[in-house]
Amino acid sequence: MKNRTVLLYMTFVFLSNFSTILYFLTVYLEFVGFSIVAISSMMIAYQVSKFILEVPTGYIADRFGRKASGLVGVVGMLGYYAALLLVRSPLLLIGAFALKGFAVACLSGSIEAIYIDSVSQDQLVRLNVVERFVFYASYAISACVGGFISSVGAYLIGLSADIIAMVLTLVVVVCIPEMRRGGTAGAPERGISPKMIGAAIACNGILRSAFIMDCSQAFVALEDFFSLLLAGRGMNSVASGVTIAVQLLASASMGLIVPSVIAHVDKGRFARICGIIRLVLTALFLIPLTPANLLPVFYVLQTVAYSLFAPIKYSVFQNAADSSMRCSLISVQSQMVAVGAVLFYLLNSVLSSVAGIRVVLLVALGISSLVYIPALFRLTSQRP
């Protein structure tokens, strides 16, 4: 990675995704005395804020500067972590979670767009694999450390580490050079409007398929309930954290073979096979009759399957996205993830009174598959 921007971006990916509290946030909030109702209100505030602001912040970043948007997002995340550490008022923390939604919306795609514009299109698959490895490595270390912190209640240490990581993220973002199209640094893009963004999506089948896949995948909120499902089978927070770490590192390591594999196979067919295998493994994880000792295995394997085709999916999407509105399109992508999550929780609220979370997730997986598989085939068959 001779490109300085690429090196800085990979550092940004690692630091910005490092969070010891991420997988144990609900446990921490209960630990400091908040009720389930208050915690739910905080989560809703985050999702609503993120959903509303995703596209507007991406549009602003495309017009007035992606680096500036990223800096605002990092500062917002610092405020969120500081509130988690110091604030004990439910209303103020609801505001902090809304701030987090704003910060994530500002970060979504802004720094990534600078990185994409700094490399050639034929490098994207290889660099996407590296990015996925760095991303998973950061999450794996976070999950492992967070599991031990949660088991002993040392949340002050964990949140302090998260704040330090975010301060370092701020330094990295400051150092990332931003070159606008035409070689002019910091000049705002002209002529972009929400109508143009909508037209670009309407006219591009690849973008539509990618958005449908992201929404349907988020509709199966397996990660949100992974620790809870394993706890129901007798695994504690340390075991869950270590399992998540192994899962992330294994999927990242497997993802490194993608460039050599796709050089000898049809990319579209390879992505379709991996995508379908992932759905099958997810179903095996959720089926009640699956032996408990096999649950971590199936959970690891379903993420490995995703990591094998994710770089291909991302490169297809990136190649189809117009550079002048890339932040906006990535924001729409993130917004579709939020839509999928909201739809799942609505389904859960309807079914939770008559079925457990495992059954709800199985129903969500079945519904998701009906739109995910056709979108997967369309994405891997079309050309931008």
Side-chain angles (χ1 to χ4, degrees), residues 26-34 84-85 87-88 93 155:
T26 302
V27 178
Y28 166 71
L29 292 172
E30 286 186 322
F31 177 81
V32 296
F34 291 107
L84 280 182
L85 186 62
V87 174
R88 294 296 176 264
L93 268 185
Y155 295 107

Side-chain angles (χ1 to χ4, degrees), residues 123-182:
Q123 291 179 298
L124 277 177
V125 170
R126 178 176 61 84
L127 289 175
N128 281 342
V129 171
V130 177
E131 179 192 359
R132 290 292 91 189
F133 182 86
V134 174
F135 173 83
Y136 284 133
S138 179
Y139 266 19
I141 295 172
S142 299
C144 194
V145 174
F148 284 103
I149 287 174
S150 179
S151 67
V152 298
Y155 295 107
L156 175 62
I157 296 175
L159 283 170
S160 298
D162 294 345
I163 291 173
I164 292 172
M166 199 54 60
V167 170
L168 294 175
T169 302
L170 183 64
V171 174
V172 171
V173 173
V174 169
C175 295
I176 293 178
E178 178 180 15
M179 293 299 297
R180 308 299 294 181
R181 291 188 359 170

Side-chain angles (χ1 to χ4, degrees), residues 94-320:
I94 287 174
F97 272 78
L99 173 63
K100 178 189 176 183
F102 169 71
V104 171
C106 288
L107 281 169
S108 177
S110 57
I111 307 302
E112 181 184 1
I114 297 174
Y115 145 72
I116 292 171
D117 286 342
S118 73
V119 299
S120 61
Q121 295 299 316
D122 59 1
Q123 291 179 298
L124 277 177
V125 170
R126 178 176 61 84
L127 289 175
N128 281 342
V129 171
V130 177
E131 179 192 359
R132 290 292 91 189
F133 182 86
V134 174
F135 173 83
Y136 284 133
S138 179
Y139 266 19
I141 295 172
S142 299
C144 194
V145 174
F148 284 103
I149 287 174
S150 179
S151 67
V152 298
Y155 295 107
L156 175 62
I157 296 175
L159 283 170
S160 298
D162 294 345
I163 291 173
I164 292 172
M166 199 54 60
V167 170
L168 294 175
T169 302
L170 183 64
V171 174
V172 171
V173 173
V174 169
C175 295
I176 293 178
E178 178 180 15
M179 293 299 297
R180 308 299 294 181
R181 291 188 359 170
T184 303
E189 297 287 353
R190 302 297 182 186
I192 304 172
S193 68
K195 182 181 293 186
M196 290 176 60
I197 296 169
I201 296 171
C203 297
N204 194 313
I206 290 179
L207 295 179
R208 294 196 304 274
S209 297
F211 293 151
I212 291 172
M213 289 177 65
D214 291 324
C215 182
S216 59
Q217 185 171 322
F219 184 62
V220 185
L222 180 61
E223 287 75 14
D224 292 347
F225 297 95
F226 169 72
S227 296
L228 182 63
L229 291 171
L230 289 190
R233 296 294 190 95
M235 295 185 68
N236 59 27
S237 58
V238 174
S240 297
V242 172
T243 300
I244 293 170
V246 172
Q247 168 243 336
L248 293 169
L249 289 175
S251 60
S253 300
M254 289 297 295
L256 291 174
I257 72 172
V258 169
S260 59
V261 170
I262 63 176
H264 305 286
V265 300
D266 179 82
K267 293 181 183 179
R269 183 177 300 174
F270 180 75
R272 291 191 289 271
I273 291 173
C274 290
I276 293 173
I277 289 176
R278 177 179 177 272
L279 293 176
V280 173
L281 291 169
T282 303
L284 290 173
F285 175 83
L286 293 172
I287 291 173
L289 297 179
T290 301
N293 60 339
L294 291 179
L295 293 180
V297 176
F298 287 138
Y299 185 74
V300 169
L301 290 178
Q302 63 90 23
T303 309
V304 168
Y306 176 72
S307 70
L308 288 174
F309 84 89
I312 299 174
K313 171 180 175 288
Y314 285 131
S315 66
V316 172
F317 171 80
Q318 290 162 351
N319 287 334

